[in-house]
């Protein structure tokens, strides 16, 4: 059974930091690129950060460049999103997404989301 379980969300003051985790199971994690998306109330879901299956390539939305870092530990089947210098506009539900590569091409999995609220 495929599972992506996010954790680490919560309430933080502006300028603060949070680290989100996404633990994967039920598929071969190292064959999947991993993405973090977010969706704020009344807005469309947007891609925040992406990391290749090996971790050698990373991309970020302009709105988070220099503040967020995506990284993964394939031995632990976990991807992380380190979020620093948080702003109120970062408030959203954050989702973990796995996209299959090679022999797993076409498979696409989502977590249930974790709420991040940035407020004083």
């Amino acid at each position: 059974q495929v599972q992506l379980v996010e954790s680490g969300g919560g309430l933080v003051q502006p300028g603060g930091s949070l680290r989100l985790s996404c633990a994967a199971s039920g598929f071969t994690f190292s064959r999947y690129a991993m993405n973090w998306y977010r969706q704020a109330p009344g807005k469309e879901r947007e891609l925040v950060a992406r990391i290749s299956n090996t971790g050698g390539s990373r991309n970020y939305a302009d709105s988070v460049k220099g503040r967020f870092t995506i990284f993964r530990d394939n031995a632990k089947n976990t991807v992380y999103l380190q979020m620093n210098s948080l702003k109120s506009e970062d408030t959203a539900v954050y989702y973990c997404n796995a996209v299959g590569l090679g022999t797993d091409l076409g498979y696409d999995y989502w977590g249930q989301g974790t709420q991040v609220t940035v407020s004083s």
Side-chain angles (χ1 to χ4, degrees), residues 91-107:
T91 295
V93 178
Y94 284 71
Y95 297 92
C96 176
N97 166 239
V99 179
L101 305 171
T103 55
D104 290 85
L105 193 65
Y107 291 94

Side-chain angles (χ1 to χ4, degrees), residues 49 58 60 64 66-71 80-84:
R58 308 175 193 185
Y60 299 93
V64 307
R67 300 188 298 121
F68 289 13
T69 302
I70 186 171
F71 58 103
Y80 305 90
L81 186 68
Q82 177 67 43
M83 305 186 295
N84 299 329

